[in-house]
Amino acid sequence: MITIWVPKRLVEIDLYNVAARSPRELAQFSEESYNRRVNYAAQKIRGSGAKIVMLTGPSASGKTTSAHCIARALEQQGTPAQVVSLDNFFKGAQFYPKMPDGTLDYENPDTLDLQLIKQCLRELSETGKTTLPVYDFSAEKRSDQVEPVDLQGGVCIVEGIHALNPELTGLVKGDDIYRVYAGLREEYCIDGRRVINTQDIRLCRRTLRDASTRGRSPEKTLAMWERVLDGETRYIKGFKSSADFLLDTSFTYELGLISRLLGIVRRQFTLEGHNAELWDETARRFEHVAPLELELLPAGSMLREFYGGKV
């Protein structure tokens, strides 16, 4: 199958600022646009006849919540759907491969029990049933619990950063798998000069989510960012061309939410050295963006994965 990629949109920040004068209309337009993309993805999945959907995307692309959004759309269109996270297949911290400097390589596919993933995928493909492991994140090891899955003639959406890796999908018939890549496709410019790219948006999503919902200082998130990007290059983006569908996870009005939150979070945490420079450089990119209030976020918005908490 030939995958047709949607070109990235380059939006003038001045045009965004004009639209932001009617914030509720802009938010509604952005949310409805994303929902149309999700519904179209569900239609394509149903049309493919696949039992298993493998969904991936880079960090903070919204792949986890988007997987659940697609599952709901499939249900509404008459196809039972369940979401399975590859995170449950982690082997445990003691088995993680290490980087040359001795730190754990969290992005490496060898953090996962690849043989068990293959077994579960094969069982789902052949019988529609399998038994999943359950990972205990607090103890950083696999728990004694398991979770039975029965597709009941429907679809299983498997989400995770390694979901398109042939090491995971190679033992399943091609017709039984539909591959989805979730990624942002909207960037922002001033007089045609790009000033905010998709990587900037993802960095903001990740740091603001960690600060607001996990109480984690941007210092820790920023310190890992270069390693995260390196892992994406090594383990995710190379398989992007194998996707059957590209799900655009951009929201135009998100620009104003980020603009509102950047300064608030910066005042709450102390940053030093390179991390402070990275954060302040990112914040400067949003200086010309009209801020918007978090109250614009609908209860079921995908963006609540990143901005659902209070800061």
Side-chain angles (χ1 to χ4, degrees):
M1 177 181 294
I2 298 176
T3 304
I4 299 176
W5 299 108
V6 179
K8 287 185 178 179
R9 301 180 298 281
L10 193 59
V11 177
E12 284 282 349
I13 289 178
D14 281 348
L15 292 178
Y16 157 82
N17 287 335
V18 171
R21 296 172 188 169
S22 303
R24 295 196 180 280
E25 288 80 358
L26 177 59
Q28 182 178 359
F29 173 83
S30 300
E31 293 287 343
E32 289 177 350
S33 178
Y34 171 77
N35 290 335
R36 284 194 298 271
R37 292 175 231 144
V38 167
N39 287 328
Y40 184 56
Q43 292 172 18
K44 297 290 284 185
I45 291 167
R46 280 165 53 85
S48 74
K51 297 179 183 178
I52 301 170
V53 177
M54 304 298 287
L55 188 153
T56 193
S59 176
S61 60
K63 57 184 173 292
T64 300
T65 305
S66 290
H68 288 275
C69 290
I70 292 175
R72 286 196 297 270
L74 285 166
E75 294 274 1
Q76 291 167 0
Q77 295 177 24
T79 298
Q82 301 182 47
V83 177
V84 170
S85 173
L86 286 177
D87 288 355
N88 278 317
F89 290 90
F90 281 137
K91 296 176 183 177
Q94 62 178 321
F95 302 107
Y96 288 176
K98 293 184 178 181
M99 302 286 283
D101 62 2
T103 58
L104 297 180
D105 186 0
Y106 289 100
E107 314 299 321
N108 196 307
D110 286 336
T111 58
L112 302 171
D113 189 335
L114 298 179
Q115 290 305 316
L116 183 56
I117 294 172
K118 293 176 183 178
Q119 175 186 324
C120 290
L121 290 177
R122 188 167 58 247
E123 290 173 352
L124 286 170
S125 174
E126 294 173 355
T127 70
K129 298 180 181 180
T130 193
T131 301
L132 301 174
V134 176
Y135 191 75
D136 184 344
F137 284 90
S138 61
E140 289 198 84
K141 64 179 183 180
R142 188 175 296 170
S143 80
D144 296 328
Q145 298 178 330
V146 294
E147 180 183 355
V149 172
D150 184 348
L151 298 185
Q152 298 179 338
V155 171
C156 179
I157 302 175
V158 182
E159 66 86 12
I161 62 173
H162 300 296
L164 297 192
N165 191 319
E167 281 291 314
L168 276 63
T169 61
L171 293 182
V172 181
K173 287 191 309 178
D175 291 344
D176 282 346
I177 287 184
Y178 192 83
R179 296 166 174 82
V180 177
Y181 188 96
L184 291 85
R185 306 301 295 172
E186 189 165 280
E187 300 185 320
Y188 306 92
C189 64
I190 296 176
D191 297 331
R193 178 176 56 87
R194 183 182 287 103
V195 293
I196 299 173
N197 60 32
T198 57
Q199 186 173 303
D200 295 326
I201 299 291
R202 292 195 295 114
L203 175 59
C204 291
R205 281 183 175 184
R206 184 170 171 134
T207 51
L208 293 172
R209 175 193 62 193
D210 290 353
S212 64
T213 65
R214 303 176 184 180
R216 180 183 298 167
S217 167
E219 186 93 26
K220 295 181 179 179
T221 306
L222 295 170
M224 295 178 61
W225 187 237
E226 290 185 5
R227 188 172 300 167
V228 168
L229 295 179
D230 177 64
E232 292 172 0
T233 300
R234 286 186 292 155
Y235 303 124
I236 302 175
K237 293 184 177 179
F239 305 119
K240 183 177 180 180
S241 61
S242 69
D244 301 302
F245 189 89
L246 173 61
L247 178 64
D248 181 1
T249 57
S250 303
F251 292 75
T252 303
Y253 84 113
E254 180 181 7
L255 206 63
L257 304 179
I258 294 173
S259 178
R260 170 71 64 190
L261 289 169
L262 284 176
I264 297 174
V265 171
R266 183 68 172 90
R267 290 191 293 272
Q268 287 185 342
F269 296 95
T270 300
L271 298 175
E272 298 177 351
H274 173 70
N275 292 328
E277 293 176 4
L278 176 58
W279 184 255
D280 291 340
E281 178 186 345
T282 302
R284 279 194 293 272
R285 298 175 186 271
F286 289 82
E287 286 180 346
H288 301 287
V289 174
L292 295 176
E293 300 293 339
L294 280 178
E295 286 74 13
L296 292 170
L297 273 174
S301 174
M302 187 277 277
L303 291 179
R304 283 195 172 270
E305 176 182 345
F306 307 103
Y307 314 116
K310 295 181 179 180
V311 292

